[in-house]
Amino acid sequence: MTFSIIIRENSVNNFDTSSDRRKESAMKEMIAANLIRYRKSLGLSQEQLAEQAGVTRQSINNYENAKTLPDSKILSALASALGITLDDLLRSQGEGLPNFRFRAHVSFDKNAQFAAQVLRMLQTYNALEQAVGLPSYTPESTPCHQVEGNKKHIQTIAALFRHRLGLGDAPIANLFQSVEEIGLKVLRSSIPIKGFFGLSACSDIEGAFVLVNTHNITIERQLFTLAHEIGHLIFHRVEYQDTLIEEGTKEEEKAREQVADYFASHLLVPQAEFERMYALTQDIVKLKRHFRVSYLVILNRLAEMKIIDFAKEKAKICAIYKKQHDGASLQNSMELPPALAAEDYPENERYEFLIWQSLKLGKMSEMKAAELLNLTVEKLRVRRQENEVYAVA
């Protein structure tokens, strides 16, 4: 779990200076490319980066033109100023987990820091699984690129996935826990990128991974995002790329999103159970509370069944909300009360379990575990002692 650079003494008398020069040149080129990429991603000028890192603009210019090599102290200062780690600065673009393929419906080609952050998350999670010896999971793939003509097929796949989770038609109590129990890597993290809800990655060897954004996003939307990304993992495996850059036409991407949305809706709300509940009550609030989904999911399903006009029904609900809340508007980012409570959906339980297990097995230092859990070493030791006291023998 810890990375270190090991410098070995050369026991050969005839030191290969040409090889050494080539390595130094390659290092200069790599650092130069990374500095330019991460600096431009933040919209910083050379002068601004120089000021933040405590060096001259000419030094930055020399580094970015691969003329000189920064020392370790300056490298750390540059990494800090760019909002990345030292490992990110010393890693070639694309280096990391070549077996993984990513998919994101938003283009991140101009956000190098975010791409590096995702790679670090994935590397850490993968290393934790290997340290503990827990198997990973990847859902079976079945290509489907449009909803039209494939509704029954998508519904069947949703039902099969529910069966894989050990569920019938009953509402899913906590989809995060359910998928983590079968080995799907899920991380929920606050990422302040407008319009970003989540992404997924997959590998035939290391399994599947879903990142769900929690930044000002309701639990209902987070659950739908998870189900949506699982849909992409099942139906669109061939579209996964080595990078976080969107490919394909807008029409193709729109069709894929519709497939993932349709799958997510039927995964969270099975048709037979929905029809049974709707026969008992037409109250939108009661339906959304029963299935633990957004009111928008319920409206979409009713519109799909030709029972309501989506736009008219939503406008009616928004008008009632405004009247009941002193003129406040029901924004798209909000949920119609009662909303699911965040405390009922603890974040990253499997991930934290792997950290504690790695620590227990001696595969990780207390300092590294504290860093990953966002604790001080002192607090980690208290928590560790509490876990040991209350552990089941």
Side-chain angles (χ1 to χ4, degrees), residues 318-337:
C318 288
I320 294 172
Y321 181 91
K322 192 170 186 177
K323 185 177 181 180
Q324 292 178 342
H325 294 81
D326 299 322
S329 298
L330 179 61
Q331 304 293 332
N332 287 335
S333 59
M334 298 165 59
E335 180 52 49
L336 185 67

Side-chain angles (χ1 to χ4, degrees), residues 149-304:
N150 293 302
K151 290 183 179 180
K152 288 295 183 184
H153 174 63
I154 299 171
Q155 288 183 35
T156 299
I157 298 301
L160 288 172
F161 191 78
R162 288 178 67 93
H163 178 72
R164 177 69 179 84
L165 297 177
L167 304 170
D169 281 348
I172 304 175
N174 186 332
L175 185 61
F176 298 114
Q177 287 182 346
S178 295
V179 298
E180 286 180 332
E181 285 174 2
I182 64 172
L184 182 66
K185 288 184 274 287
V186 179
L187 276 181
R188 294 158 69 196
S189 182
S190 180
I191 302 166
I193 297 178
K194 187 177 180 180
F196 171 66
F197 294 102
L199 62 79
S200 50
C202 66
S203 165
D204 293 335
I205 300 172
E206 284 88 6
F209 169 79
V210 176
L211 173 63
V212 177
N213 192 7
T214 64
H215 186 73
N216 297 330
I217 297 174
T218 65
I219 296 296
E220 288 86 351
R221 176 68 224 208
Q222 292 178 41
L223 289 164
F224 191 86
T225 295
L226 174 58
H228 177 95
E229 292 301 328
I230 292 170
H232 282 312
L233 285 164
I234 293 173
F235 296 112
H236 306 134
R237 195 77 57 82
V238 70
E239 276 87 26
Y240 281 64
Q241 313 291 330
D242 291 330
T243 65
L244 296 178
I245 300 175
E246 175 188 353
E247 292 193 3
T249 66
K250 289 183 178 179
E251 291 75 19
E252 290 172 337
E253 185 59 22
K254 183 178 179 180
R256 293 178 193 134
E257 290 297 294
Q258 289 172 346
V259 169
D261 280 348
Y262 193 84
F263 170 84
S265 176
H266 285 271
L267 175 64
L268 295 169
V269 184
Q271 185 64 26
E273 175 66 5
F274 185 66
E275 291 176 2
R276 185 188 74 82
M277 283 300 301
Y278 188 72
L280 296 175
T281 178
Q282 288 78 53
D283 189 316
I284 301 297
V285 170
K286 289 181 179 179
L287 288 169
K288 86 177 207 68
R289 182 189 296 156
H290 177 76
F291 289 105
R292 299 182 177 91
V293 296
S294 169
Y295 78 99
L296 294 173
V297 171
I298 301 299
L299 293 186
N300 270 301
R301 291 296 287 277
L302 292 173
E304 180 188 315

Side-chain angles (χ1 to χ4, degrees), residues 54-90:
V55 297
T56 65
R57 188 208 64 81
Q58 186 58 48
S59 294
I60 299 295
N61 186 65
N62 288 338
Y63 302 150
E64 290 190 353
N65 283 288
K67 291 181 179 179
T68 56
L69 193 65
D71 62 30
S72 58
K73 184 178 180 180
I74 293 175
L75 279 171
S76 295
L78 288 169
S80 178
L82 292 168
I84 56 176
T85 68
L86 188 57
D87 282 339
D88 295 331
L89 197 55
L90 298 175

Side-chain angles (χ1 to χ4, degrees), residues 348-362:
N348 308 327
E349 290 186 303
R350 183 176 186 267
Y351 178 75
E352 291 194 4
F353 168 78
L354 291 173
I355 295 172
W356 287 109
Q357 284 297 107
S358 296
L359 184 61
K360 182 179 179 180
L361 294 172

